[in-house]
Amino acid sequence: MSTNSTSGRNAQWGGRFAAGPAAIMRDINSSLGFDRRLWRHDIAGSRAHATMLADAGILSQPDLDAILAGLDAIEAELGAGTFIFDPALEDIHMAIESRLTTRIGEAGRRLHTARSRNDQVATDFRLWLRDAIDGLATQHRALMLALATRAAEHAATPMPGFTHLQTAQPVTLGHHLLAYVEMLARDAGRLADCRARLNECPLGAAALAGTGFPIDREATASALGFSHPMANSIDAVSARDFALEFLAAAAIAATHLSRLAEEFILWCSAPFRFITFSDAFTTGSSIMPQKRNPDAAELVRGKTGRIAGNLMSLLTVMKGLPLAYAKDMQEDKEPVFDTADAWCLSLAAMAGMVRDMQPNLPRLREAAGDGFATATDLADWLVRTLNLPFREAHHVTGRIVARAEALNRTLDTLPLTEMQAIHPGIDARVQSLLGIDASLASRASLGGTAPTRVAEQAAAWLARLTPDATP
């Protein structure tokens, strides 16, 4: 006997909307499930707005007192987790206003004078994101400090430097870690720029055209810590470039974290054996007892896809919207909230892994000499000492490397006579320059990998990143 597969699917997946259009509209229209995290900022905005209305003579003092007392009580309920959310109220703004009216009566209905949910939500969202940025900036500093601390410890620890994931030249582990400090510093700069641009106040723009009430937008902007009110009421309610800028900054920063995570994954693998992690940041295999999997790093790497996707999501939402507000813009918060959460967790995980990792010093030194990594030092010596054009020096060095490979020797152990057979001008001075430590010490140009330079840079970053230092 056949069954109606269509009706089966409808019963399984569409049964919650069996009540008809009202249920569908309620669910698609509601943002309360995710925007409730704006409650602190909504209450702060309402306090500032009510105080301004009273100062402007629009709201009576008794009504202001009742509103402020009611908001205090609601804040306590929300903080304690005893606030009851009514699913019939579509967002956090209506939920708080409804509760306020229930508590204090008619005065609660006067709070919405001279504002709209359009400027209210834009204000709340900017306040929330400003706080999120401040928290992320603190976490960025913590990760940079962890990296700089380990860099100072390993300013002279040799390791292979790679291009194309092929051994290129020796560098130090400290130098490699400081490269990420530099990246993270730029990420922090993008966050600071984003914060500065979003720190203007939409409140008072009302629905889109401003209001006929004699409000003081400078007062509410100041009370909420904004630098100034937004100059155009249409822009104030319709702009979401601050959210896009945050998501763009996050996507770049997540890419940097993903690159570091990828290196940690490679470095702790059996072929590399550069570092190990404790059980705090790894997991075991369900079937292979010998394995220790770098799951924390892999998850950081994976979250980069979500964060980059969130940027594309909001770009797509905003790209075709005419001014001013449209309900599509309700889709702005979930990608931002999700990105902030994922970014925060990724920063914490990476900082923990940086502190936890244990470098395998003998293996790092061994790998630093693989692949004739000091060949460039030989070519440079030929240029400096024998005055060869670099292209000729490059050719001579290539022949010497081929000879060393044929004899299964490293460059610093290749007999001088073998080198002289290729170029008679080479003398014994070159041999002291072809070891790993000599190669590292020679790279003393600004920004180079010489241990003295790395120690200087690590010390400079540590001075900037200590809690009392100016960033």
Side-chain angles (χ1 to χ4, degrees):
M1 183 176 182
S2 64
T3 59
N4 187 324
S5 61
T6 302
S7 64
R9 284 196 300 272
N10 284 344
Q12 182 177 359
W13 301 112
R16 61 186 297 220
F17 301 120
I24 295 171
M25 186 59 195
R26 182 194 64 222
D27 278 34
I28 199 170
N29 197 48
S30 176
S31 60
L32 186 58
F34 54 84
D35 70 11
R36 64 179 64 188
R37 69 165 70 189
L38 298 175
W39 66 264
R40 289 183 178 85
H41 308 90
D42 192 75
I43 288 174
S46 291
R47 284 193 182 113
H49 183 67
T51 301
M52 179 276 296
L53 291 177
D55 290 343
I58 301 168
L59 192 67
S60 71
Q61 188 63 44
D63 281 348
L64 173 63
D65 292 341
I67 288 170
L68 294 180
L71 290 172
D72 287 347
I74 293 168
E75 183 178 47
E77 291 176 353
L78 284 159
T82 59
F83 187 96
I84 298 174
F85 289 95
D86 182 352
L89 299 172
E90 67 186 61
D91 56 36
I92 188 61
H93 323 293
M94 291 186 68
I96 290 174
E97 185 177 334
S98 175
R99 178 63 176 144
L100 181 66
T101 302
T102 298
R103 289 189 67 95
I104 68 173
E106 187 69 20
R109 296 186 175 92
R110 300 185 188 279
L111 175 60
H112 209 54
T113 305
R115 77 174 180 185
S116 161
R117 272 191 296 170
N118 292 356
D119 63 335
Q120 185 179 1
V121 67
T123 301
D124 292 357
F125 197 15
R126 285 172 184 261
L127 288 171
W128 183 92
L129 189 50
R130 192 176 68 186
D131 285 351
I133 288 172
D134 290 344
L136 287 163
T138 298
Q139 285 194 278
H140 261 270
R141 182 188 286 262
L143 176 52
M144 292 168 68
L145 181 59
L147 285 163
T149 300
R150 300 311 301 271
E153 293 172 13
H154 295 284
T157 299
M159 69 170 289
F162 298 100
T163 61
H164 309 277
L165 204 55
Q166 303 296 313
T167 300
Q169 293 176 277
V171 297
T172 72
L173 177 57
H175 192 55
H176 197 108
L177 295 177
L178 286 176
Y180 285 100
V181 177
E182 298 288 340
M183 294 181 208
L184 288 163
R186 294 192 294 274
D187 294 332
R190 278 182 279 271
L191 266 180
D193 290 345
C194 177
R195 191 192 192 285
R197 268 185 287 276
L198 72 79
N199 198 36
E200 50 184 13
C201 187
L203 197 58
L208 79 160
T211 178
F213 289 94
I215 63 173
D216 184 350
R217 294 191 62 209
E218 293 282 356
T220 48
S222 176
L224 293 169
F226 288 109
S227 59
H228 54 268
M230 295 186 73
N232 183 286
S233 59
I234 296 176
D235 180 51
V237 299
S238 62
R240 291 299 184 271
D241 54 342
F242 66 93
L244 290 169
E245 185 173 6
F246 172 77
L247 292 174
I252 296 170
T255 301
H256 290 155
L257 295 181
S258 184
R259 295 182 75 178
L260 179 57
E262 169 71 5
E263 296 205 297
F264 281 173
I265 292 162
L266 288 172
W267 290 358
C268 70
S269 67
F272 278 80
R273 294 183 291 110
F274 286 0
I275 59 173
T276 57
F277 291 109
S278 74
D279 291 344
F281 291 96
T282 57
T283 63
S285 167
S286 63
I287 191 172
M288 295 167 283
Q290 83 282 7
K291 291 189 71 206
R292 178 178 282 171
N293 300 322
D295 284 5
E298 290 172 359
L299 288 166
V300 169
R301 185 177 60 181
K303 289 182 186 299
T304 302
R306 283 174 55 184
I307 292 172
N310 285 336
L311 170 60
M312 186 54 63
S313 171
L314 188 54
L315 281 169
T316 306
V317 168
M318 297 302 299
K319 73 174 183 63
L321 294 187
L323 299 177
Y325 182 81
K327 195 71 171 182
D328 313 47
M329 291 165 65
Q330 185 167 290
E331 296 296 315
D332 59 354
K333 292 168 201 66
E334 286 182 284
V336 170
F337 292 161
D338 181 64
T339 290
D341 291 346
W343 195 358
C344 175
L345 185 56
S346 296
L347 286 166
M350 292 310 299
M353 282 185 279
V354 169
R355 298 186 192 102
D356 184 71
M357 72 169 183
Q358 293 301 315
N360 182 346
L361 302 185
R363 173 58 186 149
L364 285 166
R365 174 172 284 275
E366 176 191 19
D370 288 347
F372 306 100
T374 59
T376 305
D377 298 274
L378 173 55
D380 288 347
W381 184 89
L382 292 171
V383 171
R384 286 195 309 268
T385 306
L386 302 186
N387 201 29
L388 295 186
F390 184 80
R391 288 303 173 198
E392 183 180 350
H394 186 283
H395 177 71
V396 170
T397 300
R399 292 179 62 198
I400 292 173
V401 167
R403 185 59 180 161
E405 189 172 27
L407 296 175
N408 197 27
R409 294 291 195 103
T410 60
L411 287 178
D412 60 326
T413 62
L414 183 67
L416 180 60
T417 54
E418 296 288 346
M419 296 188 192
Q420 290 172 332
I422 294 169
H423 194 289
I426 297 175
D427 60 44
R429 291 175 294 175
V430 73
Q431 291 179 307
S432 64
L433 302 175
L434 297 181
I436 293 169
D437 294 318
S439 174
L440 292 174
S442 71
R443 305 291 171 182
S445 58
L446 179 63
T449 194
T452 53
R453 286 293 193 183
V454 176
E456 290 169 359
Q457 286 298 307
W461 273 116
L462 288 171
R464 291 175 61 183
L465 293 167
T466 48
D468 295 329
T470 302

